Amino acid sequence: MTVEERGSGPGTDVLIRKVDSHLATLRTGLQGPELELAEQLARCLRELVIATAHSSAADRGLVRAAVHYFVLRRESRGRLLSVRSLAAAQRVVNKAVRQLGRPDLLVETRRERPSRAPALSAGDSAPR
């Protein structure tokens, strides 16, 4: 019997399964921007888990903590994960991304993304 290895460190598959399982649960209750944020967080966390599989114990611990924060964060009112909790998870994940020197993985919501140029109204002329 052959076992296929991903070339990852111990615990990598477990963390990715936790993220994927939690995302599957969120898909049943979230939609729109909240679901998009959850999917972005999951994608970022998967990438961080894989990227730090052979890194220092401190880096792996940082990623593990971010995964656990995303997966285990609960609200007391019975709702699995509120938008507020997703925003808190986003802050934790983005902090880990910055500490690991991976700004390419920052998770931004639509309203955080800068607009390309201000929209012109009908009476305005284009800047010269």
Side-chain angles (χ1 to χ4, degrees), residues 111-126:
R111 63 180 170 243
E112 291 177 347
R113 294 179 189 147
S115 60
R116 295 178 189 242
L120 296 175
S121 63
D124 293 341
S125 62

Side-chain angles (χ1 to χ4, degrees), residues 21 25-26 32 42 58 62-63 68 73 79 102 117:
S21 175
T25 302
L26 292 176
L62 182 64
V63 173
H68 288 164
R73 185 81 175 158
R79 188 167 176 192
R102 292 293 308 267

Side-chain angles (χ1 to χ4, degrees), residues 19-32 34-43 46 70 80-81 86:
V19 169
D20 290 343
S21 175
H22 188 60
L23 182 60
T25 302
L26 292 176
R27 285 181 175 143
T28 64
L30 296 178
Q31 53 185 306
E34 293 86 11
L35 179 58
E36 182 182 330
L37 177 56
E39 289 177 344
Q40 289 175 356
L41 288 168
R43 194 171 25 257
R46 277 188 227 103
F70 174 68
L80 183 62
L81 192 66
L86 282 174

Side-chain angles (χ1 to χ4, degrees), residues 66-100:
V67 166
H68 288 164
Y69 193 91
F70 174 68
V71 170
L72 300 176
R73 185 81 175 158
R74 300 285 189 266
E75 291 300 313
S76 61
R77 302 223 172 166
R79 188 167 176 192
L80 183 62
L81 192 66
S82 72
V83 176
R84 186 172 57 95
S85 290
L86 282 174
Q90 179 184 13
R91 286 189 296 275
V92 169
V93 170
N94 281 343
K95 183 177 179 182
V97 164
R98 285 186 197 96
Q99 286 181 331
L100 293 168

